[in-house]
Every structure is written in structure tokens, then in C-alpha cells.
Amino acid sequence: MPTPHHVVIAVFPDVDLLDVTGPAEVFALAERESGGRAGYTVRLAGPAAGPVATSAGVRVLADLAFAEVGTEVDTLLVPGAVDPHPDGPVARVDGSVVEWVRATAPHARRIASVCVGAHVLAAAGLLDGRRATTHWSTAARLAADHPEVDVDPDPIFVRSGRVWTGAGISACLDLALALVAEDHGEELALAVARQLVVYLRRQGGQSQFSVPLSRPAAARRDIDELRVFITENLGADLSVPALAERMCLSERHFARVFRQETGTGPAAYVEEARVEAARRLLETTDLPLERVAADTGAGSVETLHRSFRRRLGTTPAAYRRRFRTAS
């Protein structure tokens, strides 16, 4: 008999649809790919049993009410919902959901949040003293509301003991695949990933967004145009003097304007862009490190090593071993 894995996914009004259906599909495929030996059963629990309208307008059916869940919970999965706001989306934190999560968590072997569901876990006190992630757009608010939580807005997912937190909405697949791998090993997780046509099963340490997305749009159009130029010409001379000349500004004035508009210095921005391009090559090609360094403008393997150490805390070779896509 397979070890039972009772997965309970919370649902509530305006919950993000993919947060619910994505993990459910992963667990269902794990059952299919294992010939029924994975032991997963998925139930949706809501404030009351019955239909629940998601943010997409599609209704899902809660199998049971929160009060009926009981103590037989292997994995408690908490998705998120957002409310619109002029300054960007705001995670919804419903008190009744928080109370149910707080009461149910002690009975679960592990707890996981998807996207802004991390705000619910934080409100329930489950992230205190832990490193956690959430959707990049609400990470600053999570950190401000819960200073006792070590919020890292970059990773796709984070595991801290028996508590897992996932990033943006599509990262629910990566998180659920990681849970399957923990339960049954990499082979089954990769089989499920193939069925989902997710060719690369991304690990938690990978970034959820690119360098351009991680920086707000500049008020000055010429700075945004320069950022595009940098991304498209990584092999060019991107030194401060060269960029300042391109902008027809003195080096000091250019550096000051660039930092004001982007929140970082031009040299640091160029390094970030080159490291990101190198990461893509390391993940998807077998090019030697010398070629990766040359194609991304790093110049030498030694410079590439220093940049990876500074930005990612690892080496290019170690990064490739961990994240290389299978051919």
C-alpha cells in the first residue's frame, strides 16, 4: 500500500485559479505516472462546502468546509488572492482563513504557500524566524508587515524546515514538483514535468524575474532606452565612460542620474545583466566557460567567477551542474 499523502488546498473567494489547479494537476499526474502508487489525494477546503468563485471567474468546488477538515492532513497548501490598488496588487489576508490555517498547521506534516499565500502564512505566525518568498510585487509589503520574517523576493520557492513558500503564480508548478521530488524522488518529479511539457524543472534558487523586470521603469525615457541597449549589446564597451559618452553626459552626472532612475549604479547594472545572460547560457547550452564569458561581455572566466560569487554566491560551473536543462 502506498503511503497516503492527503493534500488539502484552501479555496476562498477570488483565489488565484492557477494557484489551486496547478498543484492539483501536478499531484494527479504523479498518481498517473506512478501507476497509482504515489498516494496523493487532493481535497479543496473552503469557508463552506460548495462553489467558490476564483479571480478568473471560473468556479471551483470546495469538497468540504474548513471546519470539516480534521487532523488527517499531510500537506496543507495555501494559495493567494489579491485586491487591486493604485500602487499595485495587495495580498488579501482574510481573518477566517488565517485562523483556520493557524489551527490546522500543527496537524500537517508540511505547509506550503503559493504566490501571495505567504501573507496568510505570515499572518498565522508560521513564517516567524524563517526565510520565505512570495510574488515579487508584494514582497516589500510582506517584509514591512512582518519584520520577523526573512523575506527574499528573488527565488522561485524557498524551503524552511517543513514550511515552503512559492513565488509568482506559475511557480506553483515548480513548488509542487519539488514536493513530489521530496516524497518520491527526482525520477517521478521529472516524469510529471515532462507530461506538463515543463522541460526544465526549475530549482528553488533560480530567480523569479529578470534584471529588467527587477528594476522599475525609469521616469527618463533615455535611461530606459539605455537599459535596452545594455541588454542587447553585452559584448560592447559598457564602461561608465562609454555609457556616459553615449548619453552625452559627464561621467559623474551620468552615474548620478542612472542611480536615481534605476536604484543601482551603471557598473552594477551591467554586471547583473551579464550574469543573467551567462545564467541562461549555462542552463541551456554546453558552451565552455571561456565562450560564455566572451559572449556575455565578461571578458574572462576569472571575471565571470567573481561576478557569480558576488551576485549568486556560487561558481558558474556549480550553477551549471545544478540548473542545466537536460538535452
Side-chain angles (χ1 to χ4, degrees), residues 271-313:
E271 183 178 64
E272 288 179 15
R274 283 173 167 159
V275 167
E276 180 177 306
R279 286 165 63 170
R280 289 196 298 268
L281 290 177
L282 293 171
E283 291 168 8
T284 59
T285 76
D286 292 317
L287 292 174
L289 293 184
E290 292 80 3
R291 175 71 180 277
V292 172
D295 286 357
T296 59
S300 68
V301 174
E302 291 74 17
T303 301
L304 190 65
H305 267 264
R306 286 196 297 271
S307 295
F308 264 65
R309 283 290 188 190
R310 185 160 42 241
R311 299 289 169 185
L312 304 177

Side-chain angles (χ1 to χ4, degrees), residues 6 45 49 61 64 102 116-117 120 133 135 146 160 176-177 181 192 201 233 243-244 246 251 280 316 325-326:
H6 300 302
L61 191 67
L64 65 171
R102 183 184 291 120
V116 298
V120 176
T133 193
H135 192 279
H146 302 278
S160 179
L177 286 166
V192 174
R201 196 173 73 76
N233 297 273
L243 294 176
R246 182 177 182 83
E251 292 180 30
R280 289 196 298 268
T325 311

Side-chain angles (χ1 to χ4, degrees), residues 90-102:
V90 175
R92 182 181 300 179
V93 181
D94 184 284
S96 63
V97 179
V98 172
E99 288 303 316
W100 176 73
V101 169
R102 183 184 291 120

Side-chain angles (χ1 to χ4, degrees), residues 12-16 55 80-84 89-92 115-116 135 137-138:
F12 39 84
D14 295 323
V15 68
D16 285 324
S55 61
V82 297
D83 292 316
V90 175
R92 182 181 300 179
C115 199
V116 298
H135 192 279
S137 65
T138 68

Side-chain angles (χ1 to χ4, degrees), residues 198-222:
V198 180
Y199 295 111
L200 172 62
R201 196 173 73 76
R202 300 180 297 176
Q203 303 295 322
Q206 285 181 282
S207 178
Q208 59 173 298
F209 46 69
S210 64
V211 169
L213 285 177
S214 68
R215 303 290 177 186
R220 291 180 52 147
R221 182 176 178 180
D222 56 351

Side-chain angles (χ1 to χ4, degrees), residues 109-129:
R109 177 173 67 92
R110 65 187 171 195
I111 305 100
S113 67
V114 179
C115 199
V116 298
H119 292 256
V120 176
L121 296 194
L126 299 175
L127 300 183
D128 291 359

